[in-house]
Amino acid sequence: MSTRAVRQRLARPGARHNRAGFWVLVFLAPTVLLYGAYTLYPTVASVWYSLLDWNGFDRAGTFSGLENYRDLFADELFWNSFKITLLFIIASVPIQLVSSLLIAMLLNSPKMPFSNLFRTALFLPVVTTSAIVGVVMQFVFDPTAGPVNGLLRALGIVDQGVAFLGSADTALWTIVAVYVWKWFGITLIYWLAALQTIPAELYEAARTDGASAFQSLRHITWPLLTKFAVVIALLTIEASLHVFDLVLTMTNGGPFYATEVLEIFVYRWAFDSPVPRLGYASAAAVAFGLFVAVIAALQLIGTRRSGTGQGRGI
Amino acid sequence: MTPGYILSRLPWWGAAIFLAVACCLWIYPFVWMVAVSLKSSTAVFADALSLIPSDGFHPENYDRAWTTANFGTYLLNTVVITVASVALVVARSCLAGYVIGVYRFRGRKVLMGILVASIFAPTGLTIIPIVQMSQQLGVTNTRLGMVLALAGGGHILGTLLYAGYFETLPSELREAAVLDGAGFMTVFLRIMLPLANPVTATVTVLAFLANWNAFFVPLVFSLNAPSIRTVSVGMISFIGQYSTDWPGMAAAAVISLVPIVALFIGMQRYLVDGVAGAVKS
């Protein structure tokens, strides 16, 4: 039987085809069930919960229409969280993108010694547990015996320890610094993957033609990187929305709500309050979800525009 | 080596020295953590900057973290929960990825669309209904509930990696096996899945990392059940209780981080491939 005949046989409706159809369903079942229960249903249910007045002790809440949203948009602390989430993106993403690109260019050069060793060291914080790192960082930035203040004192920059995480002026920036340190390595790998798509022959050809290092950077590296830059920037922005672990373990949103990002706001009303307000927390969660969706949509548009999305997937 | 060669390499060695200093700074917090875990409480405060304990090594800090602070139990919980949820993620990803990659069934496009659209659904959005649903199923405060919540949602990249890989395999492979009389399961288990071993390695490592390091789900699932805490949750309850025990805290952190760092060093290639795949695909 030729392959064409087999293909026809496989495609022909009949016993074998029905059996394949059965197996397709069996293979999809775990994903459809689990993903439906743990991602799709909760997304829809959050919207429903956000319309309820519900303290979480009763079995179900009472319908209250858009009451939660009215309260939420009048709540200064909600807007404070929103502002801090935005500030966090604006402060962390540009530093992370630019510095990791520079280091990636160094590491990508065949002339760079020990580049694998450096890459491993810079990537190490990425694999560690954020919640553990956050707790350790509380001690690293401790005003009395933490090494950061120890060094500042030894160098004579300060004479008394700075309460980096205990003061509303410095807490957010300290978390930004720790966050960039923690996730620098992942952006570095993104850039390295992008740089490795540029064939080395291009650089060699440019060199034979007498191009300077700067000229090859300007005319080869940069134009070929821009299509990846959009995707990498959006992935980095998206990741910077998820700082729950670091913030909860470093400051718990304090001092005086100075580091309360949106996910902490949701957590506080749903799980860390003497009388939970599940509907109210859900309204904030839905607002947060919409914010993430807008960024994800930008990512899709950016990917389409820059033409890297010809393949499958994201 | 000509002087010209040495001169042309000089800037790169300059860059290497700069990077070496940066890398030392980068891993300093971990070195400091290991140093503190071996110091006595007095030495921690007396010589904050020194990495070598001034009054000898104190391995009993690990003893305290392991037994008094329950990190032995927490570590066991983390291992059990991570292994179970990774197995579940890999199983559901390879099954779904296979049929999505190989078969053109009705509704395939819609399914892919839904999976990709919800790829960024944040835990903050889904967590409240997940906890409510788990309460109704009676699995909050249990390891089972935690495993289902960790493995059930998200992890779409795994399915997409499998689907992308199986799609590139020539269909003749499958057709030849079918001609030889192999059934659907035989083709999948004996031929296709073994070919996808590199993908399985990448998906395993990525899922392991995500689930070992998870915090939001383990936190809300163990709020009323201290005995099922994972190491990440155990850590905040530990410093909440013994805020002045720096060496104990550091020892607990070392216990929690050693397994994941060891895995990273062993499986670095697959991890880097998986991360890079997010950009390339």
Side-chain angles (χ1 to χ4, degrees):
Chain A
M1 217 193 302
S2 69
T3 26
R4 175 188 289 258
V6 177
R7 259 194 212 127
Q8 277 167 354
R9 213 180 117 195
L10 284 171
R12 201 175 52 210
R16 184 175 288 278
H17 184 74
N18 282 341
R19 216 176 302 152
F22 163 76
W23 281 112
V24 166
L25 281 181
V26 171
F27 273 43
L28 286 177
T31 293
V32 170
L33 284 177
L34 283 170
Y35 199 71
Y38 284 95
T39 299
L40 288 185
Y41 162 75
T43 305
V44 177
S46 275
V47 178
W48 167 242
Y49 287 5
S50 75
L51 304 173
L52 302 177
D53 180 19
W54 189 10
N55 60 21
F57 300 124
D58 305 330
R59 265 196 84 82
T62 47
F63 186 79
S64 66
L66 296 173
E67 194 72 32
N68 286 322
Y69 288 97
R70 250 196 306 274
D71 289 358
L72 190 70
F73 295 141
D75 185 344
E76 269 177 45
L77 283 176
F78 169 73
W79 290 113
N80 170 65
S81 299
F82 197 74
K83 188 189 82 190
I84 286 166
T85 305
L86 279 177
L87 259 183
F88 194 90
I89 300 174
I90 295 166
S92 66
V93 172
I95 308 175
Q96 203 183 340
L97 281 175
V98 175
S99 57
S100 62
L101 174 61
L102 293 176
I103 303 291
M105 283 177 170
L106 278 181
L107 293 183
N108 192 47
S109 165
K111 289 182 193 152
M112 189 68 218
F114 308 119
S115 54
N116 277 341
L117 187 68
F118 292 145
R119 191 190 66 183
T120 304
L122 295 173
F123 194 73
L124 183 69
V126 172
V127 303
T128 57
T129 316
S130 292
I132 308 273
V133 165
V135 170
V136 172
M137 285 298 166
Q138 267 193 40
F139 293 85
V140 168
F141 286 100
D142 184 87
T144 51
V148 173
N149 274 303
L151 185 71
L152 290 178
R153 267 198 303 265
L155 294 173
I157 298 172
V158 297
D159 19 286
Q160 274 196 331
V162 183
F164 285 102
L165 293 170
S167 133
D169 297 326
T170 48
L172 185 65
W173 312 119
T174 310
I175 298 179
V176 167
V178 171
Y179 175 85
V180 171
W181 165 78
K182 171 88 171 59
W183 296 106
F184 178 89
I186 207 149
T187 320
L188 180 76
I189 299 293
Y190 291 157
W191 284 124
L192 278 172
L195 284 169
Q196 273 151 18
T197 60
I198 304 174
E201 294 85 50
L202 274 182
Y203 291 110
E204 277 160 35
R207 219 177 5 256
T208 354
D209 291 347
S212 71
F214 179 75
Q215 278 171 323
S216 3
L217 183 72
R218 169 77 185 74
H219 295 288
I220 300 177
T221 316
W222 188 241
L224 288 173
L225 269 191
T226 40
K227 62 173 187 179
F228 290 105
V230 179
V231 183
I232 296 176
L234 289 164
L235 280 175
T236 309
I237 295 173
E238 207 278 325
S240 74
L241 291 166
H242 305 295
V243 280
F244 178 83
D245 306 13
L246 273 185
V247 175
L248 193 85
T249 50
M250 283 174 77
T251 63
N252 199 5
F256 309 113
Y257 307 102
T259 56
E260 191 175 78
V261 290
L262 281 168
E263 280 190 316
I264 302 277
F265 182 91
V266 173
Y267 172 78
R268 184 163 59 85
W269 281 112
F271 302 106
D272 198 22
S273 159
V275 182
R277 288 181 67 189
L278 289 186
Y280 192 58
S282 296
V286 170
F288 177 56
L290 282 176
F291 183 58
V292 176
V294 168
I295 289 178
L298 282 177
Q299 167 147 11
L300 262 178
I301 297 166
T303 321
R304 291 262 160 80
R305 281 258 172 89
S306 59
T308 52
Q310 303 121 336
R312 281 162 316 278
I314 338 163
Chain B
M1 275 204 268
T2 64
Y5 175 83
I6 294 175
L7 215 61
S8 76
R9 288 284 160 132
L10 216 53
W12 292 104
W13 282 99
I17 292 169
F18 163 75
L19 278 179
V21 173
C23 288
C24 288
L25 206 66
W26 225 246
I27 58 169
Y28 177 81
F30 301 114
V31 178
W32 177 83
M33 179 183 85
V34 174
V36 170
S37 76
L38 292 165
K39 286 183 176 182
S40 67
S41 275
T42 42
V44 167
F45 292 96
D47 40 49
L49 279 178
S50 162
L51 290 177
I52 296 148
S54 53
D55 57 351
F57 290 99
H58 292 265
E60 73 271 11
N61 296 332
Y62 282 86
D63 213 34
R64 210 164 56 248
W66 188 266
T67 27
T68 319
N70 288 325
F71 267 74
T73 316
Y74 298 160
L75 189 69
L76 184 68
N77 283 338
T78 314
V79 170
V80 170
I81 287 162
T82 305
V83 169
S85 53
V86 169
L88 201 55
V89 168
V90 172
R92 80 164 162 89
S93 301
C94 72
L95 293 175
Y98 177 63
V99 291
I100 290 174
V102 169
Y103 288 89
R104 296 287 170 272
F105 54 89
R106 208 181 307 155
R108 177 177 175 275
K109 283 241 164 91
V110 178
L111 183 68
M112 284 283 282
I114 292 173
L115 290 182
V116 172
S118 56
I119 206 162
F120 291 129
T123 314
L125 171 64
T126 54
I127 191 76
I128 300 172
I130 286 178
V131 170
Q132 289 302 320
M133 180 180 71
S134 302
Q135 256 164 19
Q136 271 155 24
L137 295 171
V139 291
T140 38
N141 305 326
T142 68
R143 290 182 197 82
L144 174 69
M146 223 191 271
V147 167
L148 286 173
L150 284 172
H155 299 288
I156 288 313
L157 189 62
T159 310
L160 296 180
L161 285 174
Y162 272 113
Y165 181 79
F166 284 124
E167 206 169 5
T168 60
L169 293 179
S171 56
E172 282 79 13
L173 269 174
R174 200 161 39 90
E175 285 155 7
V178 170
L179 267 191
D180 292 343
F184 193 96
M185 279 306 271
T186 322
V187 174
F188 174 70
L189 287 176
R190 291 275 169 79
I191 301 167
M192 303 305 254
L193 197 56
L195 284 172
N197 275 343
V199 182
T200 305
T202 300
V203 175
T204 307
V205 175
L206 286 177
F208 196 97
L209 201 63
N211 291 334
W212 184 279
N213 289 344
F215 180 60
F216 210 150
V217 166
L219 176 69
V220 296
F221 270 78
S222 64
L223 282 176
N224 299 315
S227 63
I228 65 158
R229 279 178 188 148
T230 61
V231 285
S232 55
V233 182
M235 199 68 182
I236 48 163
S237 61
F238 178 46
I239 59 151
Q241 218 173 342
Y242 311 95
S243 59
T244 51
D245 185 3
W246 289 37
M249 173 286 301
V254 173
I255 292 171
S256 315
L257 292 181
V258 158
I260 194 78
V261 170
L263 179 87
F264 159 62
I265 289 169
M267 307 284 279
Q268 195 179 357
R269 189 163 63 87
Y270 297 105
L271 182 56
V272 168
D273 282 356
V275 171
V279 175
K280 284 182 178 162
S281 64

